[in-house]
Amino acid sequence: MLITNYMSVSLAGCGADARFLLEAMACRALRDGADEMPGNAKALAKWLHVSERMVSGALGELVACGVVCRLSRAVGRGRPVVTYRIVATEMALLMEKKNSDRAHGELLERLFSGDDLAVEMLGAAPKTEAKRAAVTRGGKPAPPGARGRLSASNRLLLGTLLARADSFGQVTGVSNLDLIRLTGLDAESLKHRLKRLLAVGMIRSYVPGASSSVFRAGKISSTYFLNLNHPAFGLKRNCAVVVHQLGWEDERRISHEESLWRDVRRVSRSGGGVRTETPLAVIRFLAGQKGVVFRLLQFMLLQYASELLARHWHEIGTKDFVDDGWVRERIEGNLRKPSTPEGGQDDADKEWKAVIAYFHGEVFKIARDFRSRFGQADWIEFDSGGLSILPVLQDTGYSIITVLLQPPPRAVSECTVLLEERPGVVNPESYNAEADIDLGMRIHYGLATYPARRLMMK
């Protein structure tokens, strides 16, 4: 979590800008031992690459809520010197947590420091420093976005997500209400800023959450995939990306999301009696569900397959591999057993076992398929660390599959694309950075999301 979340003072009255400034002050105080900030808004604004107006307003909110105090002392003649500092009791709490094991601590410090985080809209022509707008047409200071920088609110939102991300940048279990509470943003501003982080590539993609009776929790929050390889973070090769792509002449491989939704709709329209690939018990389980639920089920299968491959990369490729049972238990723990049908408890138990058995079997099919295809690149050490499957663009199905490896294996570039020339034979293409790949292909590989239409047309 962010270091300021350890404070006892409520920040309910503080907006996103004030919370960003407080996090920056806390990081600076813990890193440099300098717990006083100069009261010159111009100096603070220059340090953090934000506007003076933003700093003045943020300091006022922090003082009002009692987490920052304003100090004034006379120095000779003239105006007294004004400084700001985090109140002593709160600073003591932060000092106790100074050495807490925070995920992505180095990246968080960069977000809340004076480092200049330059970003560009995906698909836009790179701007030179001279072309970046310093002022608006009306002569006022231009917003950070026009100057190719992330605003304070966007940095706070990104930091809030980053503090809850796993080693691959995946953020789960954080709802929009959580983000609103943690950042001080309103719902509309949150939506806009998430789109902004997607548009500049700091967030690769996201899987929308949904409420559904098929999930034991009832409601599943959205999942975000942060791009820890983004150049603004300043870390080289945080993760290695490996993509496997079938030849374009090959028949497109349909995903579970598509096949499940297709079969459920087909039975719904015909009223039964049609031939489907999906067992009828599963179709009855998913009857009446919206498309977003099938997307979540697809994601669920990929996550279980990720863990299966990470645990048993070598064993999963052998025929005598035996499941240790945790996959089945995980599936059963995340799905909700339907209420007892007319046939009674025996029929309900039989249907439920069929549903679990189906999803359990599909997880293993995905894992074996991924193991077989990526195993064609026998020079890559897929078992050297962690592995995570990254969802790709929906219209590619399983024709394109992507994984992240962390830490990056030896002798592997930041991004490797394996083009299958014929079954069992791949032609590797290596890239020193993801940005070296054509944007359209990056989007197909799941490494980025389509930016605004107007940018794609330029």
Side-chain angles (χ1 to χ4, degrees), residues 164-200:
R164 288 158 176 78
D166 67 10
S167 60
F168 298 96
Q170 180 176 316
V171 185
T172 57
V174 183
S175 68
N176 280 5
L177 289 177
D178 290 331
L179 292 176
I180 289 171
R181 175 179 56 82
L182 292 167
T183 62
L185 297 168
D186 58 41
E188 189 60 32
S189 182
L190 173 64
K191 181 179 178 181
H192 169 74
R193 295 183 186 285
L194 286 171
K195 288 183 178 180
R196 171 67 178 171
L197 293 177
L198 281 163
V200 298

PDB file of all heavy atoms in Angstrom, residues 164-200:
ATOM      1  N   ARG A 164      -0.877  -2.237  -5.175  1.00  0.00           N
ATOM      2  CA  ARG A 164      -1.685  -3.453  -5.017  1.00  0.00           C
ATOM      3  C   ARG A 164      -1.444  -4.457  -6.134  1.00  0.00           C
ATOM      4  O   ARG A 164      -2.190  -5.429  -6.272  1.00  0.00           O
ATOM      5  CB  ARG A 164      -3.172  -3.067  -4.956  1.00  0.00           C
ATOM      6  CG  ARG A 164      -3.531  -2.398  -3.655  1.00  0.00           C
ATOM      7  CD  ARG A 164      -4.782  -1.559  -3.740  1.00  0.00           C
ATOM      8  NE  ARG A 164      -5.107  -1.019  -2.413  1.00  0.00           N
ATOM      9  CZ  ARG A 164      -4.472   0.025  -1.866  1.00  0.00           C
ATOM     10  NH1 ARG A 164      -3.496   0.641  -2.519  1.00  0.00           N
ATOM     11  NH2 ARG A 164      -4.805   0.448  -0.654  1.00  0.00           N
ATOM     12  N   ALA A 165      -0.408  -4.251  -6.916  1.00  0.00           N
ATOM     13  CA  ALA A 165      -0.106  -5.127  -8.050  1.00  0.00           C
ATOM     14  C   ALA A 165       0.833  -6.249  -7.637  1.00  0.00           C
ATOM     15  O   ALA A 165       1.657  -6.098  -6.725  1.00  0.00           O
ATOM     16  CB  ALA A 165       0.525  -4.321  -9.180  1.00  0.00           C
ATOM     17  N   ASP A 166       0.720  -7.380  -8.316  1.00  0.00           N
ATOM     18  CA  ASP A 166       1.672  -8.468  -8.079  1.00  0.00           C
ATOM     19  C   ASP A 166       2.949  -8.192  -8.864  1.00  0.00           C
ATOM     20  O   ASP A 166       3.107  -7.120  -9.468  1.00  0.00           O
ATOM     21  CB  ASP A 166       1.053  -9.823  -8.429  1.00  0.00           C
ATOM     22  CG  ASP A 166       0.764  -9.999  -9.921  1.00  0.00           C
ATOM     23  OD1 ASP A 166       1.213  -9.159 -10.741  1.00  0.00           O
ATOM     24  OD2 ASP A 166       0.074 -10.971 -10.285  1.00  0.00           O
ATOM     25  N   SER A 167       3.870  -9.123  -8.882  1.00  0.00           N
ATOM     26  CA  SER A 167       5.171  -8.887  -9.504  1.00  0.00           C
ATOM     27  C   SER A 167       5.075  -8.689 -11.010  1.00  0.00           C
ATOM     28  O   SER A 167       5.999  -8.164 -11.634  1.00  0.00           O
ATOM     29  CB  SER A 167       6.117 -10.050  -9.198  1.00  0.00           C
ATOM     30  OG  SER A 167       5.599 -11.270  -9.701  1.00  0.00           O
ATOM     31  N   PHE A 168       3.939  -9.084 -11.619  1.00  0.00           N
ATOM     32  CA  PHE A 168       3.749  -8.914 -13.065  1.00  0.00           C
ATOM     33  C   PHE A 168       2.971  -7.649 -13.394  1.00  0.00           C
ATOM     34  O   PHE A 168       2.753  -7.343 -14.565  1.00  0.00           O
ATOM     35  CB  PHE A 168       2.999 -10.121 -13.645  1.00  0.00           C
ATOM     36  CG  PHE A 168       3.726 -11.418 -13.489  1.00  0.00           C
ATOM     37  CD1 PHE A 168       3.442 -12.272 -12.435  1.00  0.00           C
ATOM     38  CD2 PHE A 168       4.721 -11.788 -14.379  1.00  0.00           C
ATOM     39  CE1 PHE A 168       4.112 -13.473 -12.278  1.00  0.00           C
ATOM     40  CE2 PHE A 168       5.407 -12.979 -14.228  1.00  0.00           C
ATOM     41  CZ  PHE A 168       5.103 -13.826 -13.179  1.00  0.00           C
ATOM     42  N   GLY A 169       2.509  -6.925 -12.364  1.00  0.00           N
ATOM     43  CA  GLY A 169       1.722  -5.720 -12.601  1.00  0.00           C
ATOM     44  C   GLY A 169       0.231  -5.975 -12.638  1.00  0.00           C
ATOM     45  O   GLY A 169      -0.535  -5.090 -13.008  1.00  0.00           O
ATOM     46  N   GLN A 170      -0.213  -7.151 -12.246  1.00  0.00           N
ATOM     47  CA  GLN A 170      -1.638  -7.467 -12.263  1.00  0.00           C
ATOM     48  C   GLN A 170      -2.295  -7.032 -10.959  1.00  0.00           C
ATOM     49  O   GLN A 170      -1.826  -7.361  -9.874  1.00  0.00           O
ATOM     50  CB  GLN A 170      -1.836  -8.966 -12.469  1.00  0.00           C
ATOM     51  CG  GLN A 170      -3.289  -9.400 -12.509  1.00  0.00           C
ATOM     52  CD  GLN A 170      -3.430 -10.883 -12.801  1.00  0.00           C
ATOM     53  OE1 GLN A 170      -2.765 -11.424 -13.683  1.00  0.00           O
ATOM     54  NE2 GLN A 170      -4.285 -11.553 -12.060  1.00  0.00           N
ATOM     55  N   VAL A 171      -3.395  -6.299 -11.092  1.00  0.00           N
ATOM     56  CA  VAL A 171      -4.111  -5.768  -9.932  1.00  0.00           C
ATOM     57  C   VAL A 171      -5.498  -6.396  -9.879  1.00  0.00           C
ATOM     58  O   VAL A 171      -6.291  -6.239 -10.809  1.00  0.00           O
ATOM     59  CB  VAL A 171      -4.257  -4.237 -10.013  1.00  0.00           C
ATOM     60  CG1 VAL A 171      -4.898  -3.693  -8.732  1.00  0.00           C
ATOM     61  CG2 VAL A 171      -2.908  -3.577 -10.268  1.00  0.00           C
ATOM     62  N   THR A 172      -5.790  -7.113  -8.811  1.00  0.00           N
ATOM     63  CA  THR A 172      -7.098  -7.749  -8.650  1.00  0.00           C
ATOM     64  C   THR A 172      -7.709  -7.360  -7.306  1.00  0.00           C
ATOM     65  O   THR A 172      -7.001  -6.957  -6.380  1.00  0.00           O
ATOM     66  CB  THR A 172      -6.983  -9.289  -8.711  1.00  0.00           C
ATOM     67  OG1 THR A 172      -6.062  -9.727  -7.695  1.00  0.00           O
ATOM     68  CG2 THR A 172      -6.474  -9.748 -10.064  1.00  0.00           C
ATOM     69  N   GLY A 173      -9.028  -7.488  -7.230  1.00  0.00           N
ATOM     70  CA  GLY A 173      -9.714  -7.283  -5.960  1.00  0.00           C
ATOM     71  C   GLY A 173      -9.858  -5.844  -5.524  1.00  0.00           C
ATOM     72  O   GLY A 173     -10.160  -5.574  -4.359  1.00  0.00           O
ATOM     73  N   VAL A 174      -9.659  -4.880  -6.434  1.00  0.00           N
ATOM     74  CA  VAL A 174      -9.826  -3.463  -6.090  1.00  0.00           C
ATOM     75  C   VAL A 174     -10.993  -2.922  -6.911  1.00  0.00           C
ATOM     76  O   VAL A 174     -10.905  -2.815  -8.127  1.00  0.00           O
ATOM     77  CB  VAL A 174      -8.547  -2.648  -6.388  1.00  0.00           C
ATOM     78  CG1 VAL A 174      -8.744  -1.199  -5.942  1.00  0.00           C
ATOM     79  CG2 VAL A 174      -7.348  -3.255  -5.692  1.00  0.00           C
ATOM     80  N   SER A 175     -12.073  -2.585  -6.246  1.00  0.00           N
ATOM     81  CA  SER A 175     -13.260  -2.094  -6.937  1.00  0.00           C
ATOM     82  C   SER A 175     -13.148  -0.603  -7.224  1.00  0.00           C
ATOM     83  O   SER A 175     -12.269   0.088  -6.688  1.00  0.00           O
ATOM     84  CB  SER A 175     -14.508  -2.358  -6.090  1.00  0.00           C
ATOM     85  OG  SER A 175     -14.480  -1.553  -4.920  1.00  0.00           O
ATOM     86  N   ASN A 176     -14.047  -0.091  -8.059  1.00  0.00           N
ATOM     87  CA  ASN A 176     -14.078   1.344  -8.318  1.00  0.00           C
ATOM     88  C   ASN A 176     -14.353   2.124  -7.035  1.00  0.00           C
ATOM     89  O   ASN A 176     -13.802   3.209  -6.829  1.00  0.00           O
ATOM     90  CB  ASN A 176     -15.156   1.666  -9.361  1.00  0.00           C
ATOM     91  CG  ASN A 176     -14.679   1.385 -10.775  1.00  0.00           C
ATOM     92  OD1 ASN A 176     -13.580   0.861 -10.976  1.00  0.00           O
ATOM     93  ND2 ASN A 176     -15.499   1.703 -11.755  1.00  0.00           N
ATOM     94  N   LEU A 177     -15.199   1.580  -6.176  1.00  0.00           N
ATOM     95  CA  LEU A 177     -15.469   2.253  -4.902  1.00  0.00           C
ATOM     96  C   LEU A 177     -14.205   2.324  -4.048  1.00  0.00           C
ATOM     97  O   LEU A 177     -13.956   3.325  -3.370  1.00  0.00           O
ATOM     98  CB  LEU A 177     -16.582   1.519  -4.147  1.00  0.00           C
ATOM     99  CG  LEU A 177     -17.995   1.646  -4.733  1.00  0.00           C
ATOM    100  CD1 LEU A 177     -18.986   0.821  -3.921  1.00  0.00           C
ATOM    101  CD2 LEU A 177     -18.438   3.115  -4.777  1.00  0.00           C
ATOM    102  N   ASP A 178     -13.403   1.264  -4.090  1.00  0.00           N
ATOM    103  CA  ASP A 178     -12.126   1.273  -3.365  1.00  0.00           C
ATOM    104  C   ASP A 178     -11.215   2.369  -3.910  1.00  0.00           C
ATOM    105  O   ASP A 178     -10.588   3.122  -3.144  1.00  0.00           O
ATOM    106  CB  ASP A 178     -11.422  -0.073  -3.483  1.00  0.00           C
ATOM    107  CG  ASP A 178     -12.121  -1.180  -2.724  1.00  0.00           C
ATOM    108  OD1 ASP A 178     -12.771  -0.878  -1.706  1.00  0.00           O
ATOM    109  OD2 ASP A 178     -12.020  -2.347  -3.154  1.00  0.00           O
ATOM    110  N   LEU A 179     -11.131   2.465  -5.232  1.00  0.00           N
ATOM    111  CA  LEU A 179     -10.253   3.459  -5.859  1.00  0.00           C
ATOM    112  C   LEU A 179     -10.731   4.874  -5.566  1.00  0.00           C
ATOM    113  O   LEU A 179      -9.918   5.778  -5.357  1.00  0.00           O
ATOM    114  CB  LEU A 179     -10.184   3.221  -7.367  1.00  0.00           C
ATOM    115  CG  LEU A 179      -9.470   1.940  -7.800  1.00  0.00           C
ATOM    116  CD1 LEU A 179      -9.556   1.749  -9.306  1.00  0.00           C
ATOM    117  CD2 LEU A 179      -8.005   1.962  -7.363  1.00  0.00           C
ATOM    118  N   ILE A 180     -12.042   5.077  -5.541  1.00  0.00           N
ATOM    119  CA  ILE A 180     -12.581   6.393  -5.204  1.00  0.00           C
ATOM    120  C   ILE A 180     -12.219   6.765  -3.767  1.00  0.00           C
ATOM    121  O   ILE A 180     -11.797   7.890  -3.473  1.00  0.00           O
ATOM    122  CB  ILE A 180     -14.110   6.396  -5.407  1.00  0.00           C
ATOM    123  CG1 ILE A 180     -14.443   6.355  -6.910  1.00  0.00           C
ATOM    124  CG2 ILE A 180     -14.749   7.624  -4.754  1.00  0.00           C
ATOM    125  CD1 ILE A 180     -15.904   6.136  -7.209  1.00  0.00           C
ATOM    126  N   ARG A 181     -12.359   5.803  -2.869  1.00  0.00           N
ATOM    127  CA  ARG A 181     -12.043   6.053  -1.458  1.00  0.00           C
ATOM    128  C   ARG A 181     -10.557   6.305  -1.253  1.00  0.00           C
ATOM    129  O   ARG A 181     -10.164   7.170  -0.461  1.00  0.00           O
ATOM    130  CB  ARG A 181     -12.490   4.856  -0.614  1.00  0.00           C
ATOM    131  CG  ARG A 181     -12.121   4.943   0.852  1.00  0.00           C
ATOM    132  CD  ARG A 181     -12.617   3.726   1.612  1.00  0.00           C
ATOM    133  NE  ARG A 181     -12.113   2.479   1.043  1.00  0.00           N
ATOM    134  CZ  ARG A 181     -10.911   1.968   1.298  1.00  0.00           C
ATOM    135  NH1 ARG A 181     -10.072   2.620   2.103  1.00  0.00           N
ATOM    136  NH2 ARG A 181     -10.535   0.822   0.755  1.00  0.00           N
ATOM    137  N   LEU A 182      -9.714   5.591  -1.962  1.00  0.00           N
ATOM    138  CA  LEU A 182      -8.274   5.676  -1.754  1.00  0.00           C
ATOM    139  C   LEU A 182      -7.640   6.890  -2.437  1.00  0.00           C
ATOM    140  O   LEU A 182      -6.559   7.331  -2.030  1.00  0.00           O
ATOM    141  CB  LEU A 182      -7.603   4.400  -2.273  1.00  0.00           C
ATOM    142  CG  LEU A 182      -7.911   3.121  -1.486  1.00  0.00           C
ATOM    143  CD1 LEU A 182      -7.461   1.892  -2.268  1.00  0.00           C
ATOM    144  CD2 LEU A 182      -7.235   3.161  -0.125  1.00  0.00           C
ATOM    145  N   THR A 183      -8.283   7.407  -3.477  1.00  0.00           N
ATOM    146  CA  THR A 183      -7.682   8.505  -4.235  1.00  0.00           C
ATOM    147  C   THR A 183      -8.374   9.846  -4.035  1.00  0.00           C
ATOM    148  O   THR A 183      -7.780  10.889  -4.334  1.00  0.00           O
ATOM    149  CB  THR A 183      -7.699   8.192  -5.744  1.00  0.00           C
ATOM    150  OG1 THR A 183      -9.067   8.052  -6.183  1.00  0.00           O
ATOM    151  CG2 THR A 183      -6.931   6.910  -6.040  1.00  0.00           C
ATOM    152  N   GLY A 184      -9.622   9.842  -3.568  1.00  0.00           N
ATOM    153  CA  GLY A 184     -10.345  11.096  -3.447  1.00  0.00           C
ATOM    154  C   GLY A 184     -10.953  11.567  -4.749  1.00  0.00           C
ATOM    155  O   GLY A 184     -11.512  12.670  -4.822  1.00  0.00           O
ATOM    156  N   LEU A 185     -10.858  10.758  -5.802  1.00  0.00           N
ATOM    157  CA  LEU A 185     -11.456  11.098  -7.087  1.00  0.00           C
ATOM    158  C   LEU A 185     -12.943  10.781  -7.062  1.00  0.00           C
ATOM    159  O   LEU A 185     -13.383   9.893  -6.329  1.00  0.00           O
ATOM    160  CB  LEU A 185     -10.797  10.308  -8.214  1.00  0.00           C
ATOM    161  CG  LEU A 185      -9.307  10.551  -8.462  1.00  0.00           C
ATOM    162  CD1 LEU A 185      -8.744   9.494  -9.400  1.00  0.00           C
ATOM    163  CD2 LEU A 185      -9.080  11.946  -9.049  1.00  0.00           C
ATOM    164  N   ASP A 186     -13.730  11.489  -7.885  1.00  0.00           N
ATOM    165  CA  ASP A 186     -15.126  11.100  -8.038  1.00  0.00           C
ATOM    166  C   ASP A 186     -15.227  10.066  -9.154  1.00  0.00           C
ATOM    167  O   ASP A 186     -14.245   9.789  -9.858  1.00  0.00           O
ATOM    168  CB  ASP A 186     -16.020  12.310  -8.315  1.00  0.00           C
ATOM    169  CG  ASP A 186     -15.610  13.078  -9.570  1.00  0.00           C
ATOM    170  OD1 ASP A 186     -15.264  12.436 -10.584  1.00  0.00           O
ATOM    171  OD2 ASP A 186     -15.623  14.317  -9.537  1.00  0.00           O
ATOM    172  N   ALA A 187     -16.398   9.481  -9.322  1.00  0.00           N
ATOM    173  CA  ALA A 187     -16.568   8.374 -10.262  1.00  0.00           C
ATOM    174  C   ALA A 187     -16.228   8.776 -11.690  1.00  0.00           C
ATOM    175  O   ALA A 187     -15.568   8.028 -12.426  1.00  0.00           O
ATOM    176  CB  ALA A 187     -17.999   7.845 -10.184  1.00  0.00           C
ATOM    177  N   GLU A 188     -16.672   9.953 -12.108  1.00  0.00           N
ATOM    178  CA  GLU A 188     -16.428  10.389 -13.497  1.00  0.00           C
ATOM    179  C   GLU A 188     -14.949  10.654 -13.729  1.00  0.00           C
ATOM    180  O   GLU A 188     -14.395  10.292 -14.772  1.00  0.00           O
ATOM    181  CB  GLU A 188     -17.239  11.650 -13.789  1.00  0.00           C
ATOM    182  CG  GLU A 188     -17.238  12.052 -15.256  1.00  0.00           C
ATOM    183  CD  GLU A 188     -17.824  10.999 -16.178  1.00  0.00           C
ATOM    184  OE1 GLU A 188     -18.731  10.265 -15.748  1.00  0.00           O
ATOM    185  OE2 GLU A 188     -17.345  10.891 -17.341  1.00  0.00           O
ATOM    186  N   SER A 189     -14.298  11.292 -12.764  1.00  0.00           N
ATOM    187  CA  SER A 189     -12.871  11.575 -12.890  1.00  0.00           C
ATOM    188  C   SER A 189     -12.059  10.282 -12.893  1.00  0.00           C
ATOM    189  O   SER A 189     -11.091  10.144 -13.642  1.00  0.00           O
ATOM    190  CB  SER A 189     -12.402  12.479 -11.757  1.00  0.00           C
ATOM    191  OG  SER A 189     -11.036  12.806 -11.896  1.00  0.00           O
ATOM    192  N   LEU A 190     -12.457   9.320 -12.069  1.00  0.00           N
ATOM    193  CA  LEU A 190     -11.765   8.033 -12.036  1.00  0.00           C
ATOM    194  C   LEU A 190     -11.845   7.360 -13.404  1.00  0.00           C
ATOM    195  O   LEU A 190     -10.836   6.862 -13.917  1.00  0.00           O
ATOM    196  CB  LEU A 190     -12.390   7.134 -10.973  1.00  0.00           C
ATOM    197  CG  LEU A 190     -11.869   5.686 -10.931  1.00  0.00           C
ATOM    198  CD1 LEU A 190     -10.400   5.662 -10.551  1.00  0.00           C
ATOM    199  CD2 LEU A 190     -12.698   4.849  -9.958  1.00  0.00           C
ATOM    200  N   LYS A 191     -13.018   7.338 -13.990  1.00  0.00           N
ATOM    201  CA  LYS A 191     -13.205   6.728 -15.304  1.00  0.00           C
ATOM    202  C   LYS A 191     -12.321   7.400 -16.352  1.00  0.00           C
ATOM    203  O   LYS A 191     -11.663   6.729 -17.158  1.00  0.00           O
ATOM    204  CB  LYS A 191     -14.679   6.839 -15.702  1.00  0.00           C
ATOM    205  CG  LYS A 191     -15.012   6.226 -17.053  1.00  0.00           C
ATOM    206  CD  LYS A 191     -16.498   6.375 -17.344  1.00  0.00           C
ATOM    207  CE  LYS A 191     -16.843   5.807 -18.714  1.00  0.00           C
ATOM    208  NZ  LYS A 191     -18.301   5.963 -19.011  1.00  0.00           N
ATOM    209  N   HIS A 192     -12.295   8.718 -16.321  1.00  0.00           N
ATOM    210  CA  HIS A 192     -11.483   9.478 -17.284  1.00  0.00           C
ATOM    211  C   HIS A 192     -10.001   9.192 -17.101  1.00  0.00           C
ATOM    212  O   HIS A 192      -9.264   8.991 -18.073  1.00  0.00           O
ATOM    213  CB  HIS A 192     -11.746  10.976 -17.103  1.00  0.00           C
ATOM    214  CG  HIS A 192     -10.795  11.852 -17.847  1.00  0.00           C
ATOM    215  ND1 HIS A 192     -10.848  12.028 -19.220  1.00  0.00           N
ATOM    216  CD2 HIS A 192      -9.739  12.590 -17.418  1.00  0.00           C
ATOM    217  CE1 HIS A 192      -9.876  12.848 -19.604  1.00  0.00           C
ATOM    218  NE2 HIS A 192      -9.192  13.208 -18.526  1.00  0.00           N
ATOM    219  N   ARG A 193      -9.537   9.117 -15.864  1.00  0.00           N
ATOM    220  CA  ARG A 193      -8.111   8.939 -15.613  1.00  0.00           C
ATOM    221  C   ARG A 193      -7.650   7.508 -15.891  1.00  0.00           C
ATOM    222  O   ARG A 193      -6.509   7.293 -16.293  1.00  0.00           O
ATOM    223  CB  ARG A 193      -7.785   9.373 -14.182  1.00  0.00           C
ATOM    224  CG  ARG A 193      -8.029  10.860 -13.994  1.00  0.00           C
ATOM    225  CD  ARG A 193      -7.671  11.402 -12.639  1.00  0.00           C
ATOM    226  NE  ARG A 193      -8.083  12.796 -12.528  1.00  0.00           N
ATOM    227  CZ  ARG A 193      -7.461  13.817 -13.111  1.00  0.00           C
ATOM    228  NH1 ARG A 193      -6.383  13.585 -13.854  1.00  0.00           N
ATOM    229  NH2 ARG A 193      -7.902  15.040 -12.980  1.00  0.00           N
ATOM    230  N   LEU A 194      -8.525   6.550 -15.691  1.00  0.00           N
ATOM    231  CA  LEU A 194      -8.185   5.179 -16.087  1.00  0.00           C
ATOM    232  C   LEU A 194      -8.003   5.102 -17.605  1.00  0.00           C
ATOM    233  O   LEU A 194      -7.085   4.438 -18.100  1.00  0.00           O
ATOM    234  CB  LEU A 194      -9.275   4.213 -15.630  1.00  0.00           C
ATOM    235  CG  LEU A 194      -9.317   3.902 -14.125  1.00  0.00           C
ATOM    236  CD1 LEU A 194     -10.567   3.103 -13.779  1.00  0.00           C
ATOM    237  CD2 LEU A 194      -8.060   3.140 -13.687  1.00  0.00           C
ATOM    238  N   LYS A 195      -8.872   5.783 -18.341  1.00  0.00           N
ATOM    239  CA  LYS A 195      -8.733   5.814 -19.800  1.00  0.00           C
ATOM    240  C   LYS A 195      -7.436   6.491 -20.205  1.00  0.00           C
ATOM    241  O   LYS A 195      -6.786   6.080 -21.174  1.00  0.00           O
ATOM    242  CB  LYS A 195      -9.926   6.543 -20.422  1.00  0.00           C
ATOM    243  CG  LYS A 195     -11.229   5.763 -20.379  1.00  0.00           C
ATOM    244  CD  LYS A 195     -12.336   6.536 -21.075  1.00  0.00           C
ATOM    245  CE  LYS A 195     -13.627   5.732 -21.087  1.00  0.00           C
ATOM    246  NZ  LYS A 195     -14.726   6.481 -21.757  1.00  0.00           N
ATOM    247  N   ARG A 196      -7.062   7.525 -19.474  1.00  0.00           N
ATOM    248  CA  ARG A 196      -5.820   8.239 -19.771  1.00  0.00           C
ATOM    249  C   ARG A 196      -4.614   7.320 -19.564  1.00  0.00           C
ATOM    250  O   ARG A 196      -3.703   7.280 -20.402  1.00  0.00           O
ATOM    251  CB  ARG A 196      -5.711   9.466 -18.859  1.00  0.00           C
ATOM    252  CG  ARG A 196      -4.374  10.192 -18.892  1.00  0.00           C
ATOM    253  CD  ARG A 196      -4.119  10.857 -20.217  1.00  0.00           C
ATOM    254  NE  ARG A 196      -2.851  11.588 -20.210  1.00  0.00           N
ATOM    255  CZ  ARG A 196      -2.287  12.122 -21.281  1.00  0.00           C
ATOM    256  NH1 ARG A 196      -2.887  12.024 -22.456  1.00  0.00           N
ATOM    257  NH2 ARG A 196      -1.143  12.751 -21.182  1.00  0.00           N
ATOM    258  N   LEU A 197      -4.593   6.560 -18.479  1.00  0.00           N
ATOM    259  CA  LEU A 197      -3.478   5.649 -18.215  1.00  0.00           C
ATOM    260  C   LEU A 197      -3.427   4.524 -19.247  1.00  0.00           C
ATOM    261  O   LEU A 197      -2.349   4.044 -19.598  1.00  0.00           O
ATOM    262  CB  LEU A 197      -3.588   5.078 -16.797  1.00  0.00           C
ATOM    263  CG  LEU A 197      -3.406   6.081 -15.659  1.00  0.00           C
ATOM    264  CD1 LEU A 197      -3.619   5.412 -14.314  1.00  0.00           C
ATOM    265  CD2 LEU A 197      -2.016   6.733 -15.717  1.00  0.00           C
ATOM    266  N   LEU A 198      -4.589   4.116 -19.750  1.00  0.00           N
ATOM    267  CA  LEU A 198      -4.625   3.147 -20.854  1.00  0.00           C
ATOM    268  C   LEU A 198      -4.076   3.781 -22.126  1.00  0.00           C
ATOM    269  O   LEU A 198      -3.311   3.150 -22.871  1.00  0.00           O
ATOM    270  CB  LEU A 198      -6.055   2.665 -21.090  1.00  0.00           C
ATOM    271  CG  LEU A 198      -6.611   1.597 -20.150  1.00  0.00           C
ATOM    272  CD1 LEU A 198      -8.129   1.543 -20.258  1.00  0.00           C
ATOM    273  CD2 LEU A 198      -6.018   0.228 -20.470  1.00  0.00           C
ATOM    274  N   ALA A 199      -4.455   5.028 -22.380  1.00  0.00           N
ATOM    275  CA  ALA A 199      -4.084   5.702 -23.625  1.00  0.00           C
ATOM    276  C   ALA A 199      -2.587   5.957 -23.732  1.00  0.00           C
ATOM    277  O   ALA A 199      -2.042   6.010 -24.830  1.00  0.00           O
ATOM    278  CB  ALA A 199      -4.842   7.022 -23.756  1.00  0.00           C
ATOM    279  N   VAL A 200      -1.911   6.119 -22.587  1.00  0.00           N
ATOM    280  CA  VAL A 200      -0.457   6.346 -22.624  1.00  0.00           C
ATOM    281  C   VAL A 200       0.317   5.055 -22.387  1.00  0.00           C
ATOM    282  O   VAL A 200       1.542   5.068 -22.335  1.00  0.00           O
ATOM    283  CB  VAL A 200      -0.028   7.423 -21.606  1.00  0.00           C
ATOM    284  CG1 VAL A 200      -0.679   8.760 -21.929  1.00  0.00           C
ATOM    285  CG2 VAL A 200      -0.339   6.992 -20.178  1.00  0.00           C
TER     286      VAL A 200
END
